[in-house]
Amino acid sequence: EALRADLRAVLARDALAAREAEGAVLADYRAALRSARDRAQDAGDFAETSRLEAELRRFDREAALPAEPFPLGDGPDSAAFAERLARERASLLLERAKHVDAHVAELERRIHDLTRAGDLAAAAAFDADRAALLRDPDYLAARSANDSPPAP
């Protein structure tokens, strides 16, 4: 049970890091959007100010980057933020996979020890936990994105 609690704590930290990284990218996009809107307004460009204001309202409502690249005046377009977000997510998925790999290795050690001791019921429970971790969608995504073989 301590092993499961350790894993839950690690995965909770991973999830928090993912939310914080995504929040930082979205906050930077919002700031860039506001800055572009303010520049357009200062230049007296009604059409550009209105376009940027509409995107700002959409973003505040949905809290998500637009599906299609959205130009931000003379600054980077939304695609640059989407690329940054994708890089952050990939990095965090890789970290999660490393944590899962370490946990799987510990589970396998325990399965081995329990099997040798003849406690097959406990070994089976740890094996079920190991199998569930190896089916985790985030783990599989990280493994496929990095072309790394899954833990045995």
Side-chain angles (χ1 to χ4, degrees):
E1 193 54 44
L3 191 58
R4 285 182 182 139
D6 290 346
L7 177 65
R8 281 192 300 270
V10 167
L11 295 181
R13 283 193 302 272
D14 289 350
L16 177 62
R19 284 192 304 275
E20 288 174 348
E22 184 169 343
V25 172
L26 294 178
D28 289 349
Y29 176 69
R30 188 177 197 291
L33 188 56
R34 287 180 62 126
S35 178
R37 185 220 34 213
D38 292 348
R39 285 191 308 276
Q41 185 175 344
D42 289 347
D45 187 337
F46 175 76
E48 182 68 357
T49 302
S50 297
R51 184 184 75 82
L52 292 163
E53 183 64 30
E55 169 59 7
L56 187 58
R57 283 192 308 275
R58 185 214 57 83
F59 178 76
D60 286 343
R61 192 175 53 253
E62 297 176 14
L65 295 174
E68 298 294 322
F70 186 87
L72 299 176
D74 58 359
D77 69 17
S78 64
F81 292 93
E83 289 168 12
R84 182 175 144 209
L85 186 57
R87 283 191 311 273
E88 292 281 343
R89 286 178 176 160
S91 173
L92 290 164
L93 279 175
L94 183 57
E95 282 302 306
R96 179 184 178 107
K98 288 177 184 177
H99 294 147
V100 170
D101 285 342
H103 194 75
V104 164
E106 177 61 21
L107 285 171
E108 288 172 346
R109 186 189 66 74
R110 290 198 182 182
I111 292 165
H112 174 79
D113 292 348
L114 289 165
T115 301
R116 289 194 63 179
D119 191 350
L120 298 181
F126 280 115
D127 190 53
D129 287 348
R130 183 189 68 81
L133 286 173
L134 294 176
R135 287 190 309 268
D136 176 70
D138 289 338
Y139 177 79
L140 294 173
R143 285 289 157 235
S144 68
N146 291 291
D147 294 324
S148 301

